[in-house]
């Protein structure tokens, strides 16, 4: 049983570029949440997708957007990258969004130069 | 506003000794509380949760946590530490009353268990 898988594992971009990160949830899960973990900090909630819609959003600008596909996989898009967007981006899946036990992927390490 | 505080950046303990990693929270109404562990180059792994009921919660790998409502704390404990317990530990909270799906994480505490 595959857990949560994220791709790519590492990514290097320059300021102003756009990036797309991908996530496949754990089998049987239908909800995907995205978190940003800056160096030395705890994860911060970006948004959650359920039934192909953004159900809740954290305090992130509109440059951060997402999508969920019918197979429950999800993408995180970030436009007009800033140096401060450099972080580990974590995807977490759950069943129907009840966060009693999130399953996290290993993350995508994004470096913006 | 909901918040979580982990007052210690690092906790050092000798193998075989008991360990405690501290966490305090602030939330309106009753909380859902969680502990997650992060190993190098890995995502977070669920350790345990408190939803309701017994204040002492048992979790994975011999860890337990005690919910103290009066002190708004949820400290993580283990009776006998292992070197393999060395990792980054995160406390998280979700408020029951605000219909929120997001977890609020603390800044993390690095646990170092020396042989």
């Amino acid at each position: 049983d595959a857990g949560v898988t994220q791709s790519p594992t590492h990514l290097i971009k320059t300021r102003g570029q756009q990036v797309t990160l991908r996530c496949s949830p754990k089998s049987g899960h239908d909800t995907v949440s995205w978190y940003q973990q800056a160096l030395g900090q705890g994860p911060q909630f970006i948004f959650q997708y359920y039934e192909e819609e953004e159900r809740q959003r954290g305090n992130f600008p509109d440059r951060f957007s997402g999508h969920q596909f019918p197979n429950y996989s999800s993408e995180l898009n970030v436009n007009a990258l800033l140096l401060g967007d450099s972080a580990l981006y974590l995807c977490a899946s759950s069943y129907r969004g009840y966060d009693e036990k999130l399953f996290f992927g290993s993350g995508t390490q994004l470096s913006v130069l | 506003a909901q918040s979580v505080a982990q007052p210690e950046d690092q906790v050092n303990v000798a193998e075989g000794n008991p360990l405690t990693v501290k966490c305090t929270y602030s939330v309106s109404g009753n909380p859902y509380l969680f502990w997650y562990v992060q190993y190098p180059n890995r995502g977070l792994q669920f350790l345990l949760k408190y939803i309701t009921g017994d204040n002492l919660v048992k979790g994975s790998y011999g860890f337990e946590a005690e919910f103290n409502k009066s002190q708004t704390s949820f400290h993580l404990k283990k009776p006998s530490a292992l070197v393999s317990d060395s990792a980054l530990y995160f406390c998280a909270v979700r408020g029951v009353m605000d219909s929120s799906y997001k977890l609020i994480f603390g800044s993390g505490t690095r646990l170092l268990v020396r042989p």
Side-chain angles (χ1 to χ4, degrees), chain B residues 70-93:
Chain B
S70 63
Q71 297 186 4
T72 62
S73 67
F74 190 57
H75 301 331
L76 182 70
K77 300 181 180 183
K78 188 174 182 181
S80 179
L82 299 173
V83 172
S84 58
D85 292 331
S86 298
L88 190 56
Y89 290 81
F90 290 97
C91 181
V93 67

Side-chain angles (χ1 to χ4, degrees), chain A residues 35 37 42 56 99-100 102 105, chain B residues 34 36 38 43 90 100-101 103:
Chain A
Y35 287 80
Q37 185 179 12
Q56 186 175 5
D99 295 338
E100 280 72 23
L102 290 178
Chain B
F34 309 85
Y36 283 83
Q38 187 175 35
F90 290 97
S100 173
Y101 295 98
L103 292 186

